[in-house]
Amino acid sequence: MEDAYARSVSEVLEFFAVDPTKGLTDLQVTQHAHSYGKNVLPQEKSTPFWKLVLKQFNDLLVKILIAAAFISFFLALANGETVISAFIEPSVILMILAANAAVGVITETNAEKALEELRAYQADVATVLRNGCFSILPAADLVPGDIVEVSVGCKIPADMRMIEILSDHLRVDQAILTGESCSVEKELDATTATNAVYQDKTSILFSGTTVVAGRARAVVIGVGSNTAMGSIRDSMLMTEDEVTPLKKKLDEFGTFLAKIIAGICVLVWVVNIGHFSDPAHGGFLRGAIHYFKIAVALAVAAIPEGLPAVVTTCLALGTKRMARLNAIVRSLPSVETLGCTTVICSDKTGTLTTNMMSVSKICVLQSLNNGPMNSEYVVSGTTYAPEGFIFDSLGAQLDIPAQYPCLLHIAMCSALCNESVIQYNPDKRIYEKIGESTEVALRLLAEKIGLPGFDTMPSALNMLSKHERASYCNRYWESQFKKVSLLEFSRDRKMMSVLCNRKQMEIMFSKGAPESILSRCTNILCNDDGSTVPLSAHIRAQLEAKYNSFAGKETLRCLALALKRMPMGQQSLSFDDENDLTFIGLVGMLDPPRDEVRNAILSCMNAGIRVIVVTGDNKTTAESLCQKIGAFDHLGDFTGFSYTASEFEELPALQKSVALQRMTILSRVEPSHKRMLVEALQNQNEVVAMTGDGVNDAPALKKANIGIAMGCGTAVAKSASDMVLADDNFATVVAAVAEGRAIYNNTKQFIRYMISSNIGEVVCIFVAAMLGIPDTLVPVQLLWVNLVTDGLPATAIGFNKQDSDVMKSKPRKVNEAVVSGWLFFRYLVIGAYVGLATVAGFIWWFVYYNNGPKLPYTELMHFDSCSTRETNYACSIFSDRHPSTVSMTVLVVVEMFNALNNLSENQSLLVIPPWSNLWLVASIIFTMILHILILYVQPLSALFSVTPLSLAEWTVVLYLSFPVILIDEILKFFSRHSGIRFSFRFRRADLLPKREIRDK
């Protein structure tokens, strides 16, 4: 029944044909169970493990590598190699792919936990009326039409319509569903609001929420998937995880690279068709296979096999740094996404605020001398810890607050007219509450005021253990006064009273809504001397003005406190006793903003990131909080910047689009609105980060580009998020954004480094094939260079220091290419030099090296016809391992120098020297040690087809390698001086090509 909130009690009962005094019959239960199903959230089928594994290989580059591995294996067998030697190269490729697949499977398995943990918020049992009798049944057995009784502490087992309140009132904490900072009072009357949201449906008890005060009966109207909790589950199922900008760019790069690789491979093979029949190959078919193998080697050279591993490693290093900032990363790619975040949709309660109601203002009558004069006190401390001070109107701290009569009696009333509990949890090392948040705030106020008669107050309290300190002052007052009788809070009176006895003296303490308490007061307590004076119309008007100021402009939740001397020996209270009260004071409380939020939001604005406050609370409360934060002072007022969810939905499409670009506050939201906001912003090409802590936030957290859950939040929110804030602090989000930007900058640097290196390898093989000289490098050597000698320095580039102005620039665009325009030209030049230097080392050994054969260059070009001609050298010289070893060593050393070029995109090595990143220096040294090992250790040298080099050969290697630094220094000079930078245009300007970011 979807509109039960708008129907009367009798209409709802009639719809389900249920008698509220007897409940459903067994026959009706059976019929309803068949029609509506069980009261459980259906368990989704998890993706089979084998499908998750196969999904990881659904990538074009990966498919090309697999094909290259198998082709290489069969070609090696065709050339007469043993199975073991033929399998070396393919096995290395397959091991890398398996490692990357394992990381992907683990990530996707974690993502499915959110739906599982949603079930934890379902109640286990319920008190149900059936066949005229109450019984406790499993909540899963509930059916629509069941009459259920709930009381304090009960978790609501299903969506239910209130039919009877069995106490003075009923209040429910539904923060996990709506994000409201205070509990909500429920009532029997139908809701008349149009487009009602959860907060408007005050006659409905929602599944998974908790009763914090009162007792009531209700009829079940929705079970399982047809509940508010079920709609959240369905929303999460419909939400697909957003692909991160970097992942999109790498995917585009893969597609682009695959086309280039295919084109070059085919070109190399076709160009050499005339050489298929050369006698050296032993026939046309063998010649075709030989050049096909060269094409495969070209594919291996072009694909940066180590790129996924290096990206994963760099992001993992970033997560460690972010963990130190209290940001726990659950999804590695989200680290990079932070760097291009343009909008942060921040939950209000618990993120911008502490989610701990506390008293912030106190107003009492100071004195009647020279006319009535009010005193206003400010209370510090914003958590459940009994820590804080009282300050007077001039900002001076009160040393012993309890020596002031009004404050002393406020402490007594707060401690005694109270049903809540504060306790210290040693496992979590935090103070926790049990009961109404407003009553907890009063408990804490009593602790902050302290006790009278001790000169060492309140410092003496700090000597207690945390467990003793939690309620020391409250327990003192409870030991001094014996509670005799209690009048509970009711909606008509809007107050509660407690009768206490102390030393043959009876006192009634009362607390409640200011208008209710003031109307019953005839006297007022003075704070200067503790005297009681009549409450005149003038004083009453002053107090009402202060109340209106607290509740209006400052949006504080206000309570008034009063007392009354009762006749000796009175043992009970009646409503008539709540008259002729003596007014003690007025307290204003709020869920206070975190101290560090203001600077954090200003940092976002400086970084070009917009902050939208999203809350389930009402519009006035949200706007007041933003004013208290102080970061939105530049707006003046919030007209055109603040909307309720209903107001926003009713806007025409064009106005809605404009509102999205200006919006600062969206209030009165429910789960579907949060997800709608994320989608609307993403449709405007915004990169959205969403914070949240409740079950209601889970769909939006999953839909956002990066979902950020609070450490104290629900398990559902954490599982649906990409990142968890251990300290629940918005300021941590800003620090994480700065780290994300730095990580992206470093990621960009090592991607460019690896790409330029691979361009060099492609140029090397392509030029060798075009010149008709022997193979300069074999595939296993290329693999070694790509994985080890490229991978280690690339990973170390991830340790480049964060720029000092990283949060002073605008967010990068999501479609920004990693390498584009001028940069593409730069790295093409560097790559071309790397390839040409590698080929030059190979040719030098044959033509110019004194200990080499010193062949004429034409002989080298016609090496394949050596066996058919008479020569003054042995044809076996072309099988010598020295020239390919020189080429491979040139390739390794030139890339080490190129790694130093990537300490900065544009800054010279004279400005940012190598030792600014000692990890990079260490990786270069370690890489060279590894390379020397494979040259000089026999089993390894045979495996990689290399041989030891002489000093002369090493000297030439250095001569050929070092110029890459000089070339890049010249290119960096042009980059720094834009006035003399040349404009280069390419048909394909971006190495990571642009396309539409989202398919709408």
Side-chain angles (χ1 to χ4, degrees), residues 402-541:
Q403 72 182 4
Y404 297 87
C406 285
L407 295 181
L408 176 64
H409 285 83
I410 284 174
M412 292 180 191
C413 187
S414 297
L416 298 168
C417 200
N418 204 311
E419 298 294 312
S420 66
V421 176
I422 303 172
Q423 59 189 17
Y424 181 71
N425 186 327
D427 296 328
K428 297 181 180 178
R429 297 183 179 180
I430 58 173
Y431 290 92
E432 295 179 331
K433 64 147 187 169
I434 299 174
E436 264 295 338
S437 55
T438 53
E439 293 199 336
V440 172
L442 291 177
R443 285 265 189 222
L444 289 165
L445 177 60
E447 295 296 331
K448 293 171 185 177
I449 291 175
L451 302 176
F454 297 94
D455 292 339
T456 55
M457 293 295 293
S459 58
L461 294 172
N462 297 329
M463 299 174 67
L464 300 171
S465 69
K466 290 184 180 295
H467 179 72
E468 292 175 312
R469 181 67 189 93
S471 294
Y472 185 84
C473 297
N474 282 274
R475 283 198 300 270
Y476 172 82
W477 292 121
E478 288 168 349
S479 68
Q480 292 292 308
F481 290 86
K482 178 184 176 184
K483 290 186 182 181
V484 178
S485 181
L486 174 70
L487 281 179
E488 289 187 349
F489 180 92
S490 65
R491 284 188 297 166
D492 54 345
R493 289 161 43 245
K494 294 184 179 178
M495 63 182 293
M496 72 172 286
S497 300
V498 59
L499 177 62
C500 300
N501 171 274
R502 183 193 188 201
K503 297 178 181 178
Q504 305 302 311
M505 180 175 61
E506 314 294 337
I507 300 180
M508 181 182 73
F509 292 102
S510 300
K511 77 162 191 268
E515 63 271 23
S516 296
I517 295 290
L518 271 172
S519 66
R520 289 172 166 82
C521 288
T522 55
N523 298 296
I524 186 167
L525 187 67
C526 293
N527 198 39
D528 60 348
D529 57 6
S531 62
T532 300
V533 298
L535 180 58
S536 66
H538 183 53
I539 298 174
R540 190 185 299 272

Side-chain angles (χ1 to χ4, degrees), residues 9 90 203 370 404 576:
V9 172
S203 60
N370 301 320
Y404 297 87
D576 292 334

Side-chain angles (χ1 to χ4, degrees), residues 342-354:
T342 58
V343 177
I344 299 176
C345 296
S346 176
D347 187 38
K348 178 186 79 70
T349 305
T351 308
L352 299 179
T353 68
T354 63

